[in-house]
Amino acid sequence: MFLEELGKIEEEAGRELREADSQDKLSSWHTRYLGRKGRLTSILKSIGALSLENRKEVGSKANQVKERLSLSFSQRKDELSCGPSLREDVDITLPGRPFTYGSLHPTTKVLREICTIFSGLGFGVVEGPEIEEDYYNFEALNMPEDHPARDMWATLWMENGLLLRTHTSPMQIRIMERASPPIRVIIPGRCYRYEATDATHESMFYQVEGLAVDKGITLAHLKGTLTEFSHLLFGEERKIRFRCDYFPFVEPGMEMSIECLSCQGKGCRTCRGSGWLEILGAGMVHPRVLERVNIDPEVYSGFAFGMGVERIPMLKYRIDDIRHFYADDLRFLAQFR
Ligand code: DAH
């Protein structure tokens, strides 16, 4: 009989406790169940009249119920007293703290833009190693040891004879070794040069390389592709020009410039008075480069290009010093949200 009664008390007490939504109701609950004249206390008091065996069973059950109810009671009390209006140590009228949130690095933004444009033109995106062999960085690109053109790239050599790639062009070779034409890829990535840094030179920077190899690829395809790229990145009204240039791994070689973004071609400090800004190097893949990777230059031809990435946001956002990019200064980076 006592056991049944205990079960009932626990159930009712639990329900009423959940319904108690003020300190007053809570303390009246406490009086009714756990107080000196409360229901549970009465049972505990009358246990003495029971037989020894019953006393043990009812007593331990009653104590368990009492413990559980006490615990529920103090939890409920905490819940009620933590309501915002009841806490005196928190001024809920204070304005909140703004969330700080990150943003994409300007280089990342431009890289993504470039990749999106070339993906749309049918190019795949591939990455390659930053630590390179002499063979890929120079030799296979038509620059044997002692070739004077090697001096165009101030190189960081490692003790084991490897080097930090000075451009993304070595990936042209790695790709042609693995894949057979038709090939259409771009290769974004970091490059390194042994250079005293100044406003326009960093020892680490990004390039995007491009390579297309197929039957019947001509200079017209190269110019068409780069013109479309410029239209999409800089707008159709931005004039571009191609001029002859020399790179050992292309023949003919050229550079592409765009009309200066600062002065619209009139001539200013940014373009050193010329009205033009050089954006990239390019050309038709040299037959000897194709031969080396066992692609027959009588059957196939290709074009390649390589551009510096930081140059583009520098021109777009009038950033006057490349060293801002990797100095990790939030005052600089937060401007590109
Ligand atoms: N790799 C050259 C550089 O770092 C840029 C370049 C020029 C890449 C002509 C090419 C190319 O693919 O055809 O200066």
Side-chain angles (χ1 to χ4, degrees), residues 105-117:
H105 192 280
T107 305
T108 308
K109 277 191 174 176
V110 186
L111 275 172
R112 290 192 183 178
E113 244 179 292
I114 295 172
C115 290
T116 306
I117 289 174

Side-chain angles (χ1 to χ4, degrees), residues 152-171:
M152 288 164 74
W153 296 274
T155 309
L156 283 157
W157 293 92
M158 316 216 311
E159 276 167 10
N160 55 11
L162 297 175
L163 54 84
L164 296 180
R165 68 175 174 197
T166 58
H167 50 179
T168 40
S169 303
M171 273 305 285

Side-chain angles (χ1 to χ4, degrees), residues 73-332:
F73 172 77
S74 58
Q75 280 172 350
R76 185 77 188 126
K77 199 171 160 183
D78 283 349
E79 268 169 39
L80 283 178
S81 64
C82 280
S85 56
L86 296 173
R87 282 191 60 174
E88 281 159 17
D89 55 338
V90 175
D91 181 355
I92 59 161
T93 66
L94 280 175
R97 293 197 188 97
F99 286 110
T100 52
Y101 52 93
S103 57
L104 290 179
H105 192 280
T107 305
T108 308
K109 277 191 174 176
V110 186
L111 275 172
R112 290 192 183 178
E113 244 179 292
I114 295 172
C115 290
T116 306
I117 289 174
F118 281 105
S119 299
L121 295 173
F123 285 73
V125 181
V126 183
E127 288 183 317
E130 290 169 29
I131 296 174
E132 254 310 355
E133 295 168 29
D134 179 293
Y135 178 78
Y136 291 101
N137 199 83
F138 293 119
E139 179 125 10
L141 288 168
N142 214 14
M143 278 177 278
E145 227 189 316
D146 301 328
H147 193 294
R150 286 189 175 212
D151 288 349
M152 288 164 74
W153 296 274
T155 309
L156 283 157
W157 293 92
M158 316 216 311
E159 276 167 10
N160 55 11
L162 297 175
L163 54 84
L164 296 180
R165 68 175 174 197
T166 58
H167 50 179
T168 40
S169 303
M171 273 305 285
Q172 289 188 28
I173 308 297
R174 289 187 177 273
I175 284 161
M176 289 190 286
E177 275 181 349
R178 271 179 301 180
S180 42
I183 294 169
R184 273 177 200 79
V185 285
I186 58 164
I187 306 106
R190 287 190 195 101
C191 303
Y192 301 83
R193 300 226 180 132
Y194 182 50
E195 211 130 33
T197 58
D198 63 24
T200 53
H201 296 88
E202 253 293 12
S203 46
M204 190 281 291
F205 55 92
Y206 281 77
Q207 281 191 347
V208 173
E209 191 80 11
L211 176 70
V213 184
D214 203 349
K215 285 179 183 160
I217 296 255
T218 70
L219 195 70
H221 294 123
L222 172 57
K223 289 175 74 178
T225 304
L226 293 178
T227 304
E228 184 64 16
F229 166 69
S230 169
H231 285 175
L232 292 169
L233 191 64
F234 299 109
E236 290 196 13
E237 61 294 338
R238 183 73 40 196
K239 285 194 197 126
I240 53 175
R241 107 183 152 179
F242 297 96
R243 291 201 302 178
C244 291
D245 202 346
Y246 171 71
F247 300 97
F249 36 93
V250 282
E251 180 56 39
M254 60 194 211
E255 54 103 344
M256 181 176 100
S257 301
I258 60 165
E259 197 181 35
C260 180
L261 297 163
S262 295
C263 64
Q264 320 302 331
K266 287 187 208 73
C268 67
R269 256 183 55 201
T270 308
C271 57
R272 296 213 191 86
S274 73
W276 294 96
L277 299 163
E278 191 177 327
I279 289 296
L280 52 82
M284 300 304 292
V285 182
H286 200 291
R288 252 187 271 158
V289 173
L290 293 175
E291 266 165 16
R292 196 183 278 272
V293 289
N294 292 320
I295 294 179
D296 185 352
E298 296 296 327
V299 181
Y300 293 101
S301 53
F303 68 68
F305 57 85
M307 68 184 93
V309 173
E310 291 82 1
R311 192 84 205 271
I312 295 165
M314 282 179 82
L315 296 170
K316 259 192 166 168
Y317 305 120
R318 312 269 150 85
I319 301 163
D320 58 5
D321 196 321
I322 195 173
R323 288 169 294 192
H324 289 313
F325 279 79
Y326 308 113
D328 289 343
D329 187 336
L330 277 178
R331 292 169 302 176
F332 170 75

